[in-house]
Amino acid sequence: MPTLDNDAVKSRYAQEREKRLRADGNAQYVRLAGDLATDPYEPMVERPPCRDHVTVAIVGGGFAGLLTASRLSELGLDDFRVVEKGGGFGGTWYWNRYPGVQCDTASMVYMPLLEETGYMPSEKYAHGPEILDHCERIAHHFDLSDKALFHTVVTDLEWDDEAARWIVRTDRGDEFTAQFVAMGTGPLHVAKLPGIPGIQSFEGHAFHTSRWDYDYTGGDARGAPLDNLGDKRVGVIGTGATSVQVVPSLAPWVEELYVFQRTPSSVDVRDNHPIDPEWFESIATPGWQQRWLENFTANQAMGTAEEDLVQDGWTDVSRRIRDLIASLPPEKMTREGFANAFQEADIEKMSEIRARIDDVVDDPETADALKAWYWQFCKRPCFHDEYLDAFNSPNTHLVDTNGQGVERVTPAGVVAGGREYELDCLIFASGFEVGTAYTDRAGFEVTGRDGRRLSEEWRDGMRTMQGTYVHGFPNAFLVQPFQGGNLISNIPHNLVEAARTIAMIVAHTLEGGHSRVEVSAEAQEDWLALLRSAPPRVAGAGGCTPGYYNNEGQPGAGDFVGGYPGGPQRYFQYLDDWRSTGSFDGLEFS
Ligand code: NDP
């Protein structure tokens, strides 16, 4: 490998960031509306509104909601209700059924409750339909289906302090009460479109990847041929993790494919393979999945693993960092020395990823345009074995916009770089809202004790203890990773632990004859101070290219979604210790 000029690389990173910075940040996007927002998968079923009481209301039927419900169920707490905006369980896996949909995290650790449900994943990296089936499996195993309200959007949560209950209101006319609420609304559920002129004017067919229209394209999410597209010119806007999977699945079926790129993703090797049942039997001894979860987490940066069970792109970069740190002479074992080791490992990894493009992509100009010039964790790392190769196909064209994005949509197609591309079908792989205010994304206000509004409490950023409890909002829990483990390489691990904790807290409150549980103001402040003591993200120091990991390059709420300073492995150990004391320090029961 040639010696890398790290300064030249860093200066290119800065230039590429500069090119993409824009003052409107998150405001550059618009939400789906009208037909673009409709659920193409399940019809709405009429039902009378609910006016009753349950012990726990769970908002969201994705992994967060499914896991919370399952853990409550395991503790014999069956009086709960799941409210879900989709027509079934699955959350992101319900909505994202685009061709090629697959999980980038190994199924042995990504798919929760495998051991409890007795399921062996078919591949190292499972495809979406298998994960959606697994969501159904969990629902079936824990008998959750008749406890769910589907196609129902919570519009308001209001605490009634006298009754010590939450009032839950929905867009289906429900108004029921719940002693506890658990909000598992997910970080990636509000689809967004580029807010460019003319988006409504397109006269061809258009949809967002999370509302894939198989009636139009033919085929299905399980890989049946997209056989209606043979005479169609198709455009895809966006080159994030979704597009990386969509492009190679579309390319063989369409007449012409135009991929409009603003920023390339880093695309590492995938290396998927079927899981061998004999091998699985040999490792699936009691407690296996918890062991794998802990091992994967211990293999992330700041972890202490001695072996690597999963062995993939996520653990590879962390291993390099750890190896580099271990090789430092004692005088370089300093914060600066660690920072340099992080940067060196990152530059080495990204250089390899860029070099692979030259090996795979025939056209040098296209290869060059596909190279990502930023620290690997500035954007979601991607893994795929066919994405780059798709651009060798004569019908597949990369339209690179030099960091500026597409300019406008016209009745006939898309304009980029001053040229109009005529299209029959336009697919928005433009992602989901992340950095906007929590209550805007959730779609409901949460009004706690003394009329406190969550939107106001969090005006300057999220404020919680462990990412779960908010002072002023008794009996309410968030089921999500930020301000807790913050393990982004395996979101379900965060949810498995949060759900387990919440079920224990609910049980403890009820068993103690209490009506309320709330984090004290002091404990929350202490937690926030602990989070602030974490060193800044080293690899991105000096600036990341804009994206949803850094609030589109703007200061703001996105800056305050870090995690436990010791990293996810230590966080989960801390949480386990905290739970096992049984006193749940920081929480007040009354
Ligand atoms: P992303 O937000 O990652 O990507 C959106 C894409 O749209 C980016 O390439 C963005 O460019 C581009 N874009 C936005 N506006 C414009 C414009 N005006 N012109 C041209 N391009 C534009 O969304 P995804 O749906 O791809 O992924 C969201 C997340 O979902 C992932 O990060 C990942 O966490 C998860 N996911 C996981 C998968 C897995 O496990 N395999 C698969 C798919 C998604 P720019 O980068 O410049 O902003």
Side-chain angles (χ1 to χ4, degrees):
M1 186 129 217
T3 316
L4 300 166
D5 178 347
N6 287 3
D7 288 338
V9 170
K10 285 187 209 170
S11 132
R12 177 80 192 260
Y13 287 3
Q15 278 169 26
E16 296 292 334
R17 165 186 152 88
E18 207 55 39
K19 215 190 263 179
R20 291 171 173 81
L21 277 176
R22 41 191 288 170
D24 52 359
N26 285 307
Q28 69 183 282
Y29 299 108
V30 294
R31 288 187 176 177
L32 304 190
D35 287 351
L36 285 175
T38 307
D39 178 353
Y41 311 123
E42 295 290 339
M44 178 97 88
V45 177
E46 287 304 321
R47 63 166 177 81
C50 296
R51 300 280 157 138
D52 53 355
H53 176 79
V54 290
T55 305
V56 188
I58 299 170
V59 187
F63 277 144
L66 282 167
L67 286 162
T68 306
S70 306
R71 294 301 186 208
L72 287 167
S73 207
E74 278 174 345
L75 296 184
L77 299 164
D78 283 327
D79 183 31
F80 55 79
R81 174 173 292 146
V82 180
V83 185
E84 163 56 45
K85 73 175 170 181
F89 288 110
T92 199
W93 300 104
Y94 175 86
W95 293 106
N96 289 286
R97 304 186 191 198
Y98 55 81
V101 57
Q102 187 180 18
C103 185
D104 281 343
T105 301
S107 44
M108 297 284 282
V109 291
Y110 182 82
M111 291 170 72
L113 306 183
L114 286 174
E115 194 169 347
E116 287 85 340
T117 55
Y119 184 69
M120 181 195 86
S122 66
E123 303 175 276
K124 179 165 182 179
Y125 300 96
H127 280 77
E130 182 171 355
I131 304 175
L132 184 57
D133 288 348
H134 187 59
C135 293
E136 283 299 326
R137 181 174 301 108
I138 294 171
H140 181 72
H141 186 86
F142 291 97
D143 227 355
L144 308 180
S145 296
D146 61 350
K147 295 190 168 74
L149 302 178
F150 293 125
H151 279 142
T152 303
V153 178
V154 171
T155 51
D156 186 45
L157 291 180
E158 185 185 348
W159 175 247
D160 174 349
D161 201 46
E162 211 176 300
R165 289 174 168 191
W166 286 93
I167 304 164
V168 182
R169 298 188 184 94
T170 79
D171 68 342
R172 303 286 297 268
D174 307 298
E175 183 168 323
F176 64 91
T177 54
Q179 186 175 350
F180 304 91
V181 292
M183 293 173 269
T185 50
L188 296 162
H189 65 106
V190 179
K192 63 181 165 61
L193 304 173
I196 46 174
I199 212 146
Q200 304 293 345
S201 69
F202 182 58
E203 286 172 358
H205 197 72
F207 53 86
H208 187 271
T209 46
S210 65
R211 306 284 189 281
W212 194 272
D213 188 349
Y214 283 105
D215 284 345
Y216 176 83
T217 63
D220 64 28
R222 291 176 197 268
L226 305 172
D227 46 13
N228 296 345
L229 295 178
D231 58 353
K232 301 284 188 286
R233 297 157 303 173
V234 177
V236 174
I237 295 182
T239 49
T242 298
S243 180
V244 165
Q245 297 179 337
V246 164
V247 165
S249 304
L250 264 179
W253 305 108
V254 304
E255 185 180 311
E256 299 292 336
L257 180 60
Y258 296 94
V259 182
F260 298 96
Q261 171 178 277
R262 187 165 68 179
T263 309
S265 283
S266 70
V267 185
D268 205 350
V269 286
R270 160 78 311 151
D271 212 10
N272 197 15
H273 59 76
I275 289 185
D276 171 15
E278 256 180 61
W279 169 83
F280 183 77
E281 209 180 309
S282 71
I283 65 102
T285 53
W288 76 264
Q289 198 176 26
Q290 189 64 24
R291 282 198 299 280
W292 275 65
L293 283 174
E294 288 172 11
N295 179 265
F296 182 73
T297 302
N299 273 287
Q300 305 306 306
M302 302 164 92
T304 57
E306 282 173 9
E307 62 172 336
D308 180 358
L309 296 173
V310 170
Q311 301 203 14
D312 68 358
W314 296 106
T315 59
D316 177 53
V317 67
S318 310
R319 182 186 45 72
R320 288 166 190 249
I321 294 166
R322 287 205 308 272
D323 288 354
L324 261 174
I325 288 175
S327 70
L328 290 176
E331 68 277 11
K332 291 209 170 155
M333 290 275 188
T334 58
R335 198 163 153 147
E336 204 193 339
F338 294 161
N340 288 337
F342 267 96
Q343 292 203 342
E344 221 166 282
D346 197 305
I347 288 178
E348 184 186 84
K349 181 81 211 176
M350 287 299 277
S351 302
E352 283 174 22
I353 289 172
R354 286 188 289 266
R356 185 167 88 97
I357 301 173
D358 290 324
D359 293 343
V360 178
V361 177
D362 299 336
D363 173 47
E365 206 182 315
T366 305
D368 222 38
L370 284 165
K371 290 178 186 163
W373 291 96
Y374 44 79
W375 304 103
Q376 192 182 23
F377 287 91
C378 282
K379 284 196 176 265
R380 169 61 150 66
C382 297
F383 307 89
H384 211 286
D385 292 338
E386 289 94 37
Y387 175 71
L388 297 172
D389 199 40
F391 292 99
N392 292 331
S393 164
N395 73 339
T396 303
H397 318 281
L398 182 72
V399 183
D400 182 52
T401 61
N402 192 25
Q404 303 312 300
V406 293
E407 287 159 31
R408 60 182 196 278
V409 177
T410 65
V414 164
V415 177
R419 177 184 156 189
E420 182 175 29
Y421 295 81
E422 289 194 2
L423 302 170
D424 301 298
C425 175
L426 176 56
I427 299 172
F428 294 102
S430 43
F432 303 86
E433 268 185 42
V434 178
T436 49
Y438 177 84
T439 45
D440 282 354
R441 256 177 303 134
F444 54 88
E445 181 59 89
V446 188
T447 308
R449 200 166 36 72
D450 307 323
R452 301 162 85 123
R453 290 166 163 259
L454 195 61
S455 56
E456 276 159 28
E457 297 286 314
W458 285 9
R459 187 167 297 280
D460 298 323
M462 192 174 158
R463 305 177 70 79
T464 70
M465 183 178 89
Q466 297 172 1
T468 303
Y469 320 93
V470 187
H471 180 66
F473 297 80
N475 295 9
F477 312 105
L478 290 138
V479 198
Q480 58 87 45
F482 307 126
Q483 300 195 349
N486 203 28
L487 174 64
I488 58 150
S489 52
N490 189 16
I491 297 289
H493 189 179
N494 304 274
L495 307 178
V496 162
E497 293 303 331
R500 183 177 279 143
T501 315
I502 291 164
M504 285 172 79
I505 302 294
V506 169
H508 185 80
T509 311
L510 296 176
E511 280 159 16
H514 307 296
S515 52
R516 294 171 179 80
V517 53
E518 183 179 341
V519 61
S520 72
E522 195 190 359
Q524 181 170 292
E525 280 314 307
D526 288 350
W527 188 260
L528 294 171
L530 178 74
L531 297 181
R532 285 190 202 102
S533 73
R537 277 173 59 189
V538 187
C544 267
T545 196
Y548 76 79
Y549 278 9
N550 69 345
N551 204 29
E552 299 295 337
Q554 305 291 323
D559 287 342
F560 206 45
V561 292
Y564 192 69
Q569 182 191 13
R570 285 188 183 81
Y571 174 74
F572 295 133
Q573 281 163 357
Y574 148 82
L575 192 62
D576 201 28
D577 294 343
W578 181 83
R579 284 189 306 234
S580 55
T581 63
S583 59
F584 308 114
D585 288 351
L587 299 185
E588 293 174 337
F589 297 85
S590 58

